[in-house]
Amino acid sequence: MTVLPAGEPPAPPAGDPHRAPVPAPAAPAVAADPCRATAGGYAPHPDDLPDGLLVADGAGEVVCFNAAAARITGLRPQDVLGRPVEQALPLEDLEGRRWWPLTDPYGGLAIRTGQPERNLLLPGGREVLVAARYVRERPAGPLQRLVVTLRGTEARRRTERSHAELIATVAHELRSPLTSVKGFTATLLAKWERFTDDQKKLMLETVDADANRVTRLIAELLDISRIDSGRLEVRRQPVDLAAAVQRHVDAHIAAGQPQDRFTVRVSGPLPDLWADPDKVDQVLGNLLENAVRHGEGRVTIDVAPAHPGDLTERRCDATAVTVGDEGPGIPEESMSRVFTRFWRGSKRGGTGLGLYIVKGIVEAHGGTITVGRAAGGGAEFRFTLPVGAPAYLA
């Protein structure tokens, strides 16, 4: 007797002309979704995409319209799906011409593969960035799918506005020293014999100071460019942070600040620090200058080993520097904007770029910088620098 596996029907006898073929198990039904063509067995849902997505089939009817596209265009998916793409998403260029007849994806040149991203207008005048991809089964074959990506223009506008503000700020800051340099040099060249030696010296000192101001501004622009592109280089060398702080304090005293305005406290022993000495000087110079210029009362600088909670890494030696003053401080609502471009704590001049650069330098070293309120009521900046290592050991 033959025992059949459970669940299998008995097979008809061999050679029986009346036997019926056993039907194969039916494959589970899979709903066709043109938005979810798989690649390697995995396909994200269209609503997971950060950009807007519209897909039209070979007949030009919209078969996919994701949530980001609905948000960007303000159109409802139920009003778009199943309609011809020209009607579902009417687009115009900036000159008011209808975009779909101009590009003609279904009837135009068959060698085209798509359209580059460009600014177009939706009904009502809303701007949107649109790019298109033509999908064909074979080169120069009929269009099988039209894939359109949509992006809002807000991020690009913010970037353009930031660049425009930077250009305006630089032009304003350059105009004053260059006017002074031009005026004094032209005067000296035209009337050299009429001035005494003291007058000549005064004018040349002014020209030198204004030339240094232009040099600093150009250096700031280069730093911003490197920070924004992630190309800020850190050339690590041994740095005595306490000595660097004292050197900056001595420079302010030599420039006329009273000696009793500064208090430097060093809590040792400090870990050996490998950092870029020029950039550390830039950070210290900016923070101390802000405390002297915008703050009031005594300026206190604390140099000490960093606490474990100051760094994201659990075990990492670092040095912390805190610069505080007794001035009016920074309003609570402005704390979040202190390290952004063009932020100014007062109307006492400056480009508003210094603290943005300071943050970029500290973070390039792997450190952190924060702002708060000092014990005396003024502003307090605290930054940490990890011990680091020279480039040849990194």
Side-chain angles (χ1 to χ4, degrees):
M1 181 178 69
T2 305
V3 179
L4 296 175
E8 286 194 17
D16 185 347
H18 300 291
R19 67 173 178 174
V22 179
V30 178
D33 186 350
C35 290
R36 304 198 67 176
T38 60
Y42 172 77
H45 193 278
D47 289 345
D48 297 337
L49 301 177
D51 294 336
L53 174 68
L54 178 149
V55 180
D57 61 14
E61 293 185 354
V62 179
V63 294
C64 179
F65 193 73
N66 72 349
R71 184 187 72 252
I72 293 169
T73 62
L75 300 174
R76 299 185 304 171
Q78 57 266 36
D79 296 333
V80 174
L81 294 172
R83 297 182 60 193
V85 65
E86 295 185 23
Q87 300 175 15
L89 189 68
L91 294 168
E92 295 182 352
D93 63 15
L94 300 183
E95 298 177 2
R97 299 173 298 183
R98 291 188 302 163
W99 190 63
W100 292 115
L102 285 175
T103 57
D104 195 11
Y106 289 91
L109 290 175
I111 58 173
R112 288 180 179 170
T113 59
Q115 294 290 333
E117 187 175 70
R118 65 190 65 195
N119 274 27
L120 296 176
L121 299 176
L122 293 165
R126 181 188 300 184
E127 277 193 53
V128 63
L129 297 170
V130 180
R133 171 75 175 170
Y134 303 161
V135 180
R136 309 177 191 274
E137 287 187 352
R138 64 181 187 278
L143 192 63
Q144 298 296 315
R145 282 195 311 279
L146 171 66
V147 181
V148 179
T149 59
L150 306 165
R151 293 198 300 138
T153 59
E154 293 80 6
R156 177 174 291 187
R157 288 190 179 279
R158 283 195 298 269
T159 301
E160 292 174 350
R161 186 162 52 247
S162 177
H163 288 166
E165 290 175 354
L166 182 61
I167 291 172
T169 299
V170 170
H172 175 75
E173 293 294 328
L174 285 175
R175 184 184 298 116
S176 177
L178 288 179
T179 300
S180 172
V181 169
K182 176 62 178 175
F184 279 121
T185 53
T187 302
L188 286 171
L189 288 172
K191 304 176 181 180
W192 180 265
E193 301 296 337
R194 300 186 184 182
F195 296 107
T196 66
D197 288 345
D198 289 341
Q199 290 172 327
K200 293 174 184 176
K201 181 180 179 182
L202 177 62
M203 285 190 281
L204 288 174
E205 287 175 346
T206 305
V207 168
D208 182 64
D210 286 333
N212 288 337
R213 183 177 167 188
V214 172
T215 302
R216 285 196 303 270
L217 180 59
I218 293 173
E220 286 182 351
L221 293 176
L222 291 174
D223 285 338
I224 287 175
S225 173
R226 295 184 183 115
I227 290 169
D228 288 345
S229 62
R231 294 184 294 106
L232 186 65
E233 293 184 3
V234 176
R235 303 181 185 277
R236 296 184 184 273
Q237 302 175 31
V239 174
D240 186 340
L241 203 51
V245 168
Q246 190 61 52
R247 186 170 61 252
H248 281 273
V249 169
D250 292 342
H252 280 282
I253 294 172
Q257 291 293 328
Q259 187 170 358
D260 59 0
R261 189 176 182 187
F262 299 93
T263 298
V264 179
R265 298 186 299 220
V266 179
S267 302
L270 300 176
D272 295 332
L273 176 65
W274 287 79
D276 190 317
D278 293 335
K279 289 182 171 53
V280 169
D281 280 340
Q282 195 172 347
V283 171
L284 292 173
N286 189 287
L287 295 181
L288 284 174
E289 184 178 353
N290 284 345
V292 170
R293 179 187 298 180
H294 305 294
E296 298 173 2
R298 185 180 297 273
V299 177
T300 303
I301 306 102
D302 287 303
V303 184
H307 300 301
D310 290 334
L311 297 173
T312 55
E313 298 181 14
R314 293 183 179 179
R315 299 183 64 182
C316 180
D317 293 332
T319 303
V321 178
T322 306
V323 180
D325 60 69
E326 298 175 347
I330 298 171
E332 194 70 30
E333 61 273 12
S334 300
M335 292 283 189
S336 61
R337 297 185 290 110
V338 166
F339 298 108
T340 60
R341 290 185 186 181
F342 311 118
W343 183 86
R344 294 180 177 88
S346 68
K347 297 182 180 180
R348 302 183 193 179
T351 60
L353 302 174
L355 289 175
Y356 177 81
I357 295 172
V358 163
K359 183 174 185 289
I361 291 174
V362 171
E363 291 181 347
H365 281 81
T368 60
I369 184 166
T370 57
V371 61
R373 189 167 295 278
E380 180 180 273
F381 289 88
R382 177 182 176 83
F383 70 91
T384 62
L385 294 178
V387 169
Y392 64 85
L393 293 178

